[in-house]
PDB file of all heavy atoms in Angstrom:
ATOM      1  N   GLU R 144      97.741  68.806 130.280  1.00 97.00           N
ATOM      2  CA  GLU R 144      97.257  67.608 130.968  1.00 97.00           C
ATOM      3  C   GLU R 144      95.922  67.871 131.673  1.00 97.00           C
ATOM      4  O   GLU R 144      95.014  67.063 131.647  1.00 97.00           O
ATOM      5  CB  GLU R 144      98.300  67.171 132.006  1.00 97.00           C
ATOM      6  CG  GLU R 144      98.546  65.673 132.034  1.00 97.00           C
ATOM      7  CD  GLU R 144      99.835  65.370 132.781  1.00 97.00           C
ATOM      8  OE1 GLU R 144      99.759  65.252 134.033  1.00 97.00           O
ATOM      9  OE2 GLU R 144     100.900  65.293 132.132  1.00 97.00           O
ATOM     10  N   ARG R 145      95.844  69.050 132.282  1.00 96.00           N
ATOM     11  CA  ARG R 145      94.659  69.390 133.079  1.00 96.00           C
ATOM     12  C   ARG R 145      93.443  69.663 132.196  1.00 96.00           C
ATOM     13  O   ARG R 145      92.326  69.255 132.504  1.00 96.00           O
ATOM     14  CB  ARG R 145      94.970  70.626 133.924  1.00 96.00           C
ATOM     15  CG  ARG R 145      94.034  70.830 135.107  1.00 96.00           C
ATOM     16  CD  ARG R 145      94.516  71.955 136.022  1.00 96.00           C
ATOM     17  NE  ARG R 145      94.393  73.267 135.412  1.00 96.00           N
ATOM     18  CZ  ARG R 145      95.412  74.078 135.110  1.00 96.00           C
ATOM     19  NH1 ARG R 145      96.645  73.708 135.358  1.00 96.00           N
ATOM     20  NH2 ARG R 145      95.196  75.258 134.577  1.00 96.00           N
ATOM     21  N   THR R 146      93.643  70.388 131.078  1.00 97.00           N
ATOM     22  CA  THR R 146      92.497  70.877 130.301  1.00 97.00           C
ATOM     23  C   THR R 146      92.326  70.176 128.961  1.00 97.00           C
ATOM     24  O   THR R 146      91.264  70.277 128.342  1.00 97.00           O
ATOM     25  CB  THR R 146      92.668  72.379 129.986  1.00 97.00           C
ATOM     26  OG1 THR R 146      93.830  72.526 129.151  1.00 97.00           O
ATOM     27  CG2 THR R 146      92.841  73.184 131.263  1.00 97.00           C
ATOM     28  N   GLY R 147      93.357  69.481 128.502  1.00 97.00           N
ATOM     29  CA  GLY R 147      93.288  68.905 127.164  1.00 97.00           C
ATOM     30  C   GLY R 147      93.419  69.948 126.066  1.00 97.00           C
ATOM     31  O   GLY R 147      93.084  69.692 124.907  1.00 97.00           O
ATOM     32  N   ALA R 148      93.927  71.157 126.424  1.00 98.00           N
ATOM     33  CA  ALA R 148      94.087  72.224 125.426  1.00 98.00           C
ATOM     34  C   ALA R 148      95.042  71.771 124.320  1.00 98.00           C
ATOM     35  O   ALA R 148      95.967  70.984 124.552  1.00 98.00           O
ATOM     36  CB  ALA R 148      94.638  73.485 126.093  1.00 98.00           C
ATOM     37  N   ASN R 149      94.783  72.278 123.119  1.00 98.00           N
ATOM     38  CA  ASN R 149      95.626  71.959 121.972  1.00 98.00           C
ATOM     39  C   ASN R 149      96.795  72.933 121.930  1.00 98.00           C
ATOM     40  O   ASN R 149      96.607  74.153 121.901  1.00 98.00           O
ATOM     41  CB  ASN R 149      94.789  72.055 120.686  1.00 98.00           C
ATOM     42  CG  ASN R 149      95.545  71.547 119.480  1.00 98.00           C
ATOM     43  OD1 ASN R 149      96.424  72.219 118.964  1.00 98.00           O
ATOM     44  ND2 ASN R 149      95.209  70.345 119.038  1.00 98.00           N
ATOM     45  N   PHE R 150      98.013  72.392 121.922  1.00 98.00           N
ATOM     46  CA  PHE R 150      99.204  73.243 121.916  1.00 98.00           C
ATOM     47  C   PHE R 150      99.494  73.733 120.502  1.00 98.00           C
ATOM     48  O   PHE R 150      99.635  72.929 119.582  1.00 98.00           O
ATOM     49  CB  PHE R 150     100.392  72.450 122.471  1.00 98.00           C
ATOM     50  CG  PHE R 150     101.715  73.149 122.349  1.00 98.00           C
ATOM     51  CD1 PHE R 150     101.858  74.501 122.678  1.00 98.00           C
ATOM     52  CD2 PHE R 150     102.842  72.451 121.933  1.00 98.00           C
ATOM     53  CE1 PHE R 150     103.086  75.141 122.577  1.00 98.00           C
ATOM     54  CE2 PHE R 150     104.078  73.086 121.821  1.00 98.00           C
ATOM     55  CZ  PHE R 150     104.197  74.432 122.141  1.00 98.00           C
ATOM     56  N   VAL R 151      99.587  75.030 120.330  1.00 98.00           N
ATOM     57  CA  VAL R 151      99.924  75.614 119.028  1.00 98.00           C
ATOM     58  C   VAL R 151     101.290  76.292 119.158  1.00 98.00           C
ATOM     59  O   VAL R 151     101.403  77.408 119.671  1.00 98.00           O
ATOM     60  CB  VAL R 151      98.854  76.631 118.574  1.00 98.00           C
ATOM     61  CG1 VAL R 151      99.207  77.174 117.189  1.00 98.00           C
ATOM     62  CG2 VAL R 151      97.472  75.986 118.557  1.00 98.00           C
ATOM     63  N   HIS R 152     102.309  75.598 118.689  1.00 97.00           N
ATOM     64  CA  HIS R 152     103.669  76.148 118.772  1.00 97.00           C
ATOM     65  C   HIS R 152     103.760  77.414 117.910  1.00 97.00           C
ATOM     66  O   HIS R 152     103.108  77.490 116.865  1.00 97.00           O
ATOM     67  CB  HIS R 152     104.682  75.093 118.299  1.00 97.00           C
ATOM     68  CG  HIS R 152     106.112  75.469 118.544  1.00 97.00           C
ATOM     69  ND1 HIS R 152     106.815  76.305 117.707  1.00 97.00           N
ATOM     70  CD2 HIS R 152     106.962  75.140 119.552  1.00 97.00           C
ATOM     71  CE1 HIS R 152     108.046  76.462 118.177  1.00 97.00           C
ATOM     72  NE2 HIS R 152     108.163  75.763 119.295  1.00 97.00           N
ATOM     73  N   PRO R 153     104.562  78.399 118.330  1.00 97.00           N
ATOM     74  CA  PRO R 153     104.650  79.653 117.558  1.00 97.00           C
ATOM     75  C   PRO R 153     105.095  79.476 116.106  1.00 97.00           C
ATOM     76  O   PRO R 153     104.760  80.297 115.268  1.00 97.00           O
ATOM     77  CB  PRO R 153     105.673  80.480 118.345  1.00 97.00           C
ATOM     78  CG  PRO R 153     105.641  79.938 119.738  1.00 97.00           C
ATOM     79  CD  PRO R 153     105.307  78.472 119.602  1.00 97.00           C
ATOM     80  N   TYR R 154     105.855  78.417 115.798  1.00 97.00           N
ATOM     81  CA  TYR R 154     106.285  78.258 114.398  1.00 97.00           C
ATOM     82  C   TYR R 154     106.528  76.814 113.989  1.00 97.00           C
ATOM     83  O   TYR R 154     106.360  76.470 112.829  1.00 97.00           O
ATOM     84  CB  TYR R 154     107.532  79.110 114.091  1.00 97.00           C
ATOM     85  CG  TYR R 154     108.696  78.892 115.041  1.00 97.00           C
ATOM     86  CD1 TYR R 154     109.696  77.975 114.755  1.00 97.00           C
ATOM     87  CD2 TYR R 154     108.784  79.611 116.235  1.00 97.00           C
ATOM     88  CE1 TYR R 154     110.758  77.781 115.630  1.00 97.00           C
ATOM     89  CE2 TYR R 154     109.840  79.412 117.122  1.00 97.00           C
ATOM     90  CZ  TYR R 154     110.820  78.500 116.808  1.00 97.00           C
ATOM     91  OH  TYR R 154     111.854  78.304 117.680  1.00 97.00           O
ATOM     92  N   ASN R 155     106.883  75.942 114.939  1.00 97.00           N
ATOM     93  CA  ASN R 155     107.238  74.579 114.531  1.00 97.00           C
ATOM     94  C   ASN R 155     105.993  73.697 114.517  1.00 97.00           C
ATOM     95  O   ASN R 155     105.892  72.703 115.226  1.00 97.00           O
ATOM     96  CB  ASN R 155     108.293  74.002 115.475  1.00 97.00           C
ATOM     97  CG  ASN R 155     109.081  72.882 114.825  1.00 97.00           C
ATOM     98  OD1 ASN R 155     109.623  73.075 113.730  1.00 97.00           O
ATOM     99  ND2 ASN R 155     109.116  71.720 115.445  1.00 97.00           N
ATOM    100  N   ASP R 156     105.027  74.083 113.685  1.00 98.00           N
ATOM    101  CA  ASP R 156     103.711  73.449 113.665  1.00 98.00           C
ATOM    102  C   ASP R 156     103.216  73.542 112.223  1.00 98.00           C
ATOM    103  O   ASP R 156     103.180  74.639 111.654  1.00 98.00           O
ATOM    104  CB  ASP R 156     102.793  74.213 114.634  1.00 98.00           C
ATOM    105  CG  ASP R 156     101.387  73.639 114.720  1.00 98.00           C
ATOM    106  OD1 ASP R 156     100.753  73.447 113.652  1.00 98.00           O
ATOM    107  OD2 ASP R 156     100.918  73.404 115.845  1.00 98.00           O
ATOM    108  N   HIS R 157     102.821  72.420 111.647  1.00 98.00           N
ATOM    109  CA  HIS R 157     102.483  72.445 110.211  1.00 98.00           C
ATOM    110  C   HIS R 157     101.271  73.319 109.916  1.00 98.00           C
ATOM    111  O   HIS R 157     101.170  73.927 108.853  1.00 98.00           O
ATOM    112  CB  HIS R 157     102.292  71.012 109.678  1.00 98.00           C
ATOM    113  CG  HIS R 157     101.119  70.291 110.253  1.00 98.00           C
ATOM    114  ND1 HIS R 157      99.860  70.393 109.714  1.00 98.00           N
ATOM    115  CD2 HIS R 157     101.001  69.479 111.327  1.00 98.00           C
ATOM    116  CE1 HIS R 157      99.011  69.657 110.424  1.00 98.00           C
ATOM    117  NE2 HIS R 157      99.683  69.089 111.414  1.00 98.00           N
ATOM    118  N   ARG R 158     100.351  73.423 110.878  1.00 98.00           N
ATOM    119  CA  ARG R 158      99.171  74.277 110.674  1.00 98.00           C
ATOM    120  C   ARG R 158      99.571  75.750 110.659  1.00 98.00           C
ATOM    121  O   ARG R 158      99.043  76.569 109.896  1.00 98.00           O
ATOM    122  CB  ARG R 158      98.157  74.039 111.798  1.00 98.00           C
ATOM    123  CG  ARG R 158      97.725  72.591 111.939  1.00 98.00           C
ATOM    124  CD  ARG R 158      97.041  72.351 113.272  1.00 98.00           C
ATOM    125  NE  ARG R 158      97.924  72.643 114.416  1.00 98.00           N
ATOM    126  CZ  ARG R 158      97.554  72.540 115.697  1.00 98.00           C
ATOM    127  NH1 ARG R 158      96.318  72.156 116.022  1.00 98.00           N
ATOM    128  NH2 ARG R 158      98.413  72.819 116.662  1.00 98.00           N
ATOM    129  N   VAL R 159     100.519  76.072 111.524  1.00 98.00           N
ATOM    130  CA  VAL R 159     101.006  77.458 111.603  1.00 98.00           C
ATOM    131  C   VAL R 159     101.761  77.825 110.323  1.00 98.00           C
ATOM    132  O   VAL R 159     101.546  78.900 109.742  1.00 98.00           O
ATOM    133  CB  VAL R 159     101.904  77.627 112.856  1.00 98.00           C
ATOM    134  CG1 VAL R 159     102.628  78.969 112.829  1.00 98.00           C
ATOM    135  CG2 VAL R 159     101.065  77.471 114.124  1.00 98.00           C
ATOM    136  N   ILE R 160     102.604  76.927 109.859  1.00 98.00           N
ATOM    137  CA  ILE R 160     103.385  77.218 108.646  1.00 98.00           C
ATOM    138  C   ILE R 160     102.473  77.306 107.413  1.00 98.00           C
ATOM    139  O   ILE R 160     102.643  78.187 106.573  1.00 98.00           O
ATOM    140  CB  ILE R 160     104.519  76.181 108.484  1.00 98.00           C
ATOM    141  CG1 ILE R 160     105.591  76.483 109.549  1.00 98.00           C
ATOM    142  CG2 ILE R 160     105.109  76.211 107.073  1.00 98.00           C
ATOM    143  CD1 ILE R 160     106.754  75.517 109.585  1.00 98.00           C
ATOM    144  N   ALA R 161     101.478  76.450 107.352  1.00 98.00           N
ATOM    145  CA  ALA R 161     100.515  76.553 106.237  1.00 98.00           C
ATOM    146  C   ALA R 161      99.799  77.897 106.289  1.00 98.00           C
ATOM    147  O   ALA R 161      99.500  78.503 105.251  1.00 98.00           O
ATOM    148  CB  ALA R 161      99.519  75.393 106.293  1.00 98.00           C
ATOM    149  N   GLY R 162      99.529  78.375 107.484  1.00 98.00           N
ATOM    150  CA  GLY R 162      98.897  79.694 107.639  1.00 98.00           C
ATOM    151  C   GLY R 162      99.817  80.815 107.188  1.00 98.00           C
ATOM    152  O   GLY R 162      99.414  81.706 106.426  1.00 98.00           O
ATOM    153  N   GLN R 163     101.056  80.780 107.620  1.00 98.00           N
ATOM    154  CA  GLN R 163     102.006  81.841 107.210  1.00 98.00           C
ATOM    155  C   GLN R 163     102.219  81.803 105.693  1.00 98.00           C
ATOM    156  O   GLN R 163     102.501  82.846 105.075  1.00 98.00           O
ATOM    157  CB  GLN R 163     103.371  81.690 107.908  1.00 98.00           C
ATOM    158  CG  GLN R 163     103.397  81.297 109.384  1.00 98.00           C
ATOM    159  CD  GLN R 163     102.567  82.098 110.351  1.00 98.00           C
ATOM    160  OE1 GLN R 163     101.512  82.630 109.992  1.00 98.00           O
ATOM    161  NE2 GLN R 163     102.995  82.142 111.599  1.00 98.00           N
ATOM    162  N   ALA R 164     102.058  80.631 105.101  1.00 98.00           N
ATOM    163  CA  ALA R 164     102.247  80.484 103.652  1.00 98.00           C
ATOM    164  C   ALA R 164     101.240  81.304 102.850  1.00 98.00           C
ATOM    165  O   ALA R 164     101.465  81.599 101.672  1.00 98.00           O
ATOM    166  CB  ALA R 164     102.147  79.004 103.260  1.00 98.00           C
ATOM    167  N   THR R 165     100.134  81.687 103.477  1.00 98.00           N
ATOM    168  CA  THR R 165      99.108  82.453 102.747  1.00 98.00           C
ATOM    169  C   THR R 165      99.568  83.874 102.459  1.00 98.00           C
ATOM    170  O   THR R 165      99.030  84.541 101.579  1.00 98.00           O
ATOM    171  CB  THR R 165      97.790  82.508 103.551  1.00 98.00           C
ATOM    172  OG1 THR R 165      98.017  83.201 104.802  1.00 98.00           O
ATOM    173  CG2 THR R 165      97.276  81.111 103.857  1.00 98.00           C
ATOM    174  N   CYS R 166     100.576  84.323 103.194  1.00 98.00           N
ATOM    175  CA  CYS R 166     101.053  85.707 103.016  1.00 98.00           C
ATOM    176  C   CYS R 166     101.694  85.881 101.638  1.00 98.00           C
ATOM    177  O   CYS R 166     101.349  86.802 100.887  1.00 98.00           O
ATOM    178  CB  CYS R 166     102.042  86.034 104.130  1.00 98.00           C
ATOM    179  SG  CYS R 166     102.767  87.666 104.025  1.00 98.00           S
ATOM    180  N   SER R 167     102.601  84.990 101.267  1.00 98.00           N
ATOM    181  CA  SER R 167     103.237  85.158  99.954  1.00 98.00           C
ATOM    182  C   SER R 167     102.332  84.704  98.811  1.00 98.00           C
ATOM    183  O   SER R 167     102.549  85.089  97.662  1.00 98.00           O
ATOM    184  CB  SER R 167     104.605  84.466  99.894  1.00 98.00           C
ATOM    185  OG  SER R 167     104.582  83.255 100.556  1.00 98.00           O
ATOM    186  N   LEU R 168     101.299  83.946  99.162  1.00 98.00           N
ATOM    187  CA  LEU R 168     100.267  83.649  98.156  1.00 98.00           C
ATOM    188  C   LEU R 168      99.605  84.955  97.702  1.00 98.00           C
ATOM    189  O   LEU R 168      99.471  85.240  96.502  1.00 98.00           O
ATOM    190  CB  LEU R 168      99.246  82.704  98.790  1.00 98.00           C
ATOM    191  CG  LEU R 168      98.150  82.080  97.955  1.00 98.00           C
ATOM    192  CD1 LEU R 168      98.726  81.307  96.793  1.00 98.00           C
ATOM    193  CD2 LEU R 168      97.296  81.133  98.821  1.00 98.00           C
ATOM    194  N   GLU R 169      99.227  85.770  98.667  1.00 98.00           N
ATOM    195  CA  GLU R 169      98.627  87.076  98.345  1.00 98.00           C
ATOM    196  C   GLU R 169      99.644  87.999  97.678  1.00 98.00           C
ATOM    197  O   GLU R 169      99.327  88.697  96.710  1.00 98.00           O
ATOM    198  CB  GLU R 169      98.096  87.745  99.626  1.00 98.00           C
ATOM    199  CG  GLU R 169      96.953  86.983 100.276  1.00 98.00           C
ATOM    200  CD  GLU R 169      96.527  87.598 101.617  1.00 98.00           C
ATOM    201  OE1 GLU R 169      97.050  88.680 101.972  1.00 98.00           O
ATOM    202  OE2 GLU R 169      95.688  86.986 102.300  1.00 98.00           O
ATOM    203  N   LEU R 170     100.861  88.001  98.206  1.00 98.00           N
ATOM    204  CA  LEU R 170     101.902  88.867  97.636  1.00 98.00           C
ATOM    205  C   LEU R 170     102.124  88.536  96.168  1.00 98.00           C
ATOM    206  O   LEU R 170     102.185  89.426  95.309  1.00 98.00           O
ATOM    207  CB  LEU R 170     103.208  88.701  98.425  1.00 98.00           C
ATOM    208  CG  LEU R 170     104.452  89.406  97.871  1.00 98.00           C
ATOM    209  CD1 LEU R 170     104.252  90.922  97.821  1.00 98.00           C
ATOM    210  CD2 LEU R 170     105.695  89.076  98.703  1.00 98.00           C
ATOM    211  N   ASN R 171     102.200  87.239  95.881  1.00 97.00           N
ATOM    212  CA  ASN R 171     102.417  86.819  94.498  1.00 97.00           C
ATOM    213  C   ASN R 171     101.255  87.245  93.596  1.00 97.00           C
ATOM    214  O   ASN R 171     101.469  87.703  92.465  1.00 97.00           O
ATOM    215  CB  ASN R 171     102.614  85.311  94.459  1.00 97.00           C
ATOM    216  CG  ASN R 171     103.147  84.836  93.130  1.00 97.00           C
ATOM    217  OD1 ASN R 171     102.384  84.454  92.257  1.00 97.00           O
ATOM    218  ND2 ASN R 171     104.455  84.914  92.935  1.00 97.00           N
ATOM    219  N   GLU R 172     100.031  87.109  94.097  1.00 97.00           N
ATOM    220  CA  GLU R 172      98.870  87.508  93.294  1.00 97.00           C
ATOM    221  C   GLU R 172      98.828  89.018  93.073  1.00 97.00           C
ATOM    222  O   GLU R 172      98.496  89.496  91.986  1.00 97.00           O
ATOM    223  CB  GLU R 172      97.569  87.071  93.992  1.00 97.00           C
ATOM    224  CG  GLU R 172      97.300  85.571  93.899  1.00 97.00           C
ATOM    225  CD  GLU R 172      96.033  85.151  94.659  1.00 97.00           C
ATOM    226  OE1 GLU R 172      95.288  86.029  95.134  1.00 97.00           O
ATOM    227  OE2 GLU R 172      95.809  83.934  94.769  1.00 97.00           O
ATOM    228  N   ASP R 173      99.163  89.792  94.127  1.00 97.00           N
ATOM    229  CA  ASP R 173      98.960  91.243  94.056  1.00 97.00           C
ATOM    230  C   ASP R 173     100.153  91.998  93.467  1.00 97.00           C
ATOM    231  O   ASP R 173      99.983  93.085  92.913  1.00 97.00           O
ATOM    232  CB  ASP R 173      98.651  91.801  95.457  1.00 97.00           C
ATOM    233  CG  ASP R 173      97.323  91.263  95.993  1.00 97.00           C
ATOM    234  OD1 ASP R 173      96.534  90.737  95.182  1.00 97.00           O
ATOM    235  OD2 ASP R 173      97.078  91.359  97.213  1.00 97.00           O
ATOM    236  N   ALA R 174     101.344  91.446  93.603  1.00 97.00           N
ATOM    237  CA  ALA R 174     102.541  92.176  93.160  1.00 97.00           C
ATOM    238  C   ALA R 174     103.034  91.698  91.799  1.00 97.00           C
ATOM    239  O   ALA R 174     103.859  92.358  91.177  1.00 97.00           O
ATOM    240  CB  ALA R 174     103.659  92.033  94.184  1.00 97.00           C
ATOM    241  N   GLY R 175     102.522  90.569  91.331  1.00 94.00           N
ATOM    242  CA  GLY R 175     103.023  90.046  90.064  1.00 94.00           C
ATOM    243  C   GLY R 175     104.346  89.341  90.262  1.00 94.00           C
ATOM    244  O   GLY R 175     104.810  89.167  91.388  1.00 94.00           O
ATOM    245  N   PRO R 176     104.973  88.920  89.151  1.00 96.00           N
ATOM    246  CA  PRO R 176     106.194  88.113  89.237  1.00 96.00           C
ATOM    247  C   PRO R 176     107.313  88.843  89.979  1.00 96.00           C
ATOM    248  O   PRO R 176     107.531  90.039  89.778  1.00 96.00           O
ATOM    249  CB  PRO R 176     106.590  87.911  87.768  1.00 96.00           C
ATOM    250  CG  PRO R 176     105.397  88.282  86.960  1.00 96.00           C
ATOM    251  CD  PRO R 176     104.593  89.236  87.781  1.00 96.00           C
ATOM    252  N   LEU R 177     107.990  88.124  90.841  1.00 98.00           N
ATOM    253  CA  LEU R 177     109.073  88.709  91.637  1.00 98.00           C
ATOM    254  C   LEU R 177     110.373  87.962  91.374  1.00 98.00           C
ATOM    255  O   LEU R 177     110.377  86.737  91.242  1.00 98.00           O
ATOM    256  CB  LEU R 177     108.722  88.606  93.127  1.00 98.00           C
ATOM    257  CG  LEU R 177     107.483  89.395  93.573  1.00 98.00           C
ATOM    258  CD1 LEU R 177     107.061  88.987  94.979  1.00 98.00           C
ATOM    259  CD2 LEU R 177     107.759  90.894  93.504  1.00 98.00           C
ATOM    260  N   ASP R 178     111.466  88.705  91.337  1.00 98.00           N
ATOM    261  CA  ASP R 178     112.777  88.062  91.223  1.00 98.00           C
ATOM    262  C   ASP R 178     113.228  87.483  92.556  1.00 98.00           C
ATOM    263  O   ASP R 178     113.935  86.483  92.596  1.00 98.00           O
ATOM    264  CB  ASP R 178     113.813  89.081  90.742  1.00 98.00           C
ATOM    265  CG  ASP R 178     113.472  89.626  89.371  1.00 98.00           C
ATOM    266  OD1 ASP R 178     113.360  88.800  88.443  1.00 98.00           O
ATOM    267  OD2 ASP R 178     113.275  90.845  89.228  1.00 98.00           O
ATOM    268  N   ALA R 179     112.822  88.153  93.630  1.00 98.00           N
ATOM    269  CA  ALA R 179     113.248  87.698  94.957  1.00 98.00           C
ATOM    270  C   ALA R 179     112.230  88.143  95.995  1.00 98.00           C
ATOM    271  O   ALA R 179     111.485  89.100  95.782  1.00 98.00           O
ATOM    272  CB  ALA R 179     114.624  88.265  95.297  1.00 98.00           C
ATOM    273  N   VAL R 180     112.210  87.429  97.115  1.00 98.00           N
ATOM    274  CA  VAL R 180     111.429  87.844  98.281  1.00 98.00           C
ATOM    275  C   VAL R 180     112.377  87.833  99.477  1.00 98.00           C
ATOM    276  O   VAL R 180     113.199  86.921  99.620  1.00 98.00           O
ATOM    277  CB  VAL R 180     110.234  86.904  98.524  1.00 98.00           C
ATOM    278  CG1 VAL R 180     109.614  87.144  99.904  1.00 98.00           C
ATOM    279  CG2 VAL R 180     109.170  87.096  97.445  1.00 98.00           C
ATOM    280  N   VAL R 181     112.259  88.870 100.315  1.00 98.00           N
ATOM    281  CA  VAL R 181     113.085  88.962 101.517  1.00 98.00           C
ATOM    282  C   VAL R 181     112.169  89.021 102.731  1.00 98.00           C
ATOM    283  O   VAL R 181     111.226  89.815 102.762  1.00 98.00           O
ATOM    284  CB  VAL R 181     113.986  90.218 101.490  1.00 98.00           C
ATOM    285  CG1 VAL R 181     114.915  90.226 102.705  1.00 98.00           C
ATOM    286  CG2 VAL R 181     114.773  90.295 100.192  1.00 98.00           C
TER     287      VAL R 181
END
Side-chain angles (χ1 to χ4, degrees):
Chain R
E144 223 164 86
R145 199 172 70 244
T146 64
N149 188 284
F150 172 45
V151 182
H152 189 278
Y154 53 93
N155 203 53
D156 181 308
H157 66 87
R158 304 164 299 179
V159 170
I160 287 177
Q163 319 308 31
T165 63
C166 178
S167 39
L168 187 57
E169 295 175 6
L170 173 61
N171 193 266
E172 286 177 8
D173 295 344
L177 296 168
D178 298 302
V180 167
V181 184

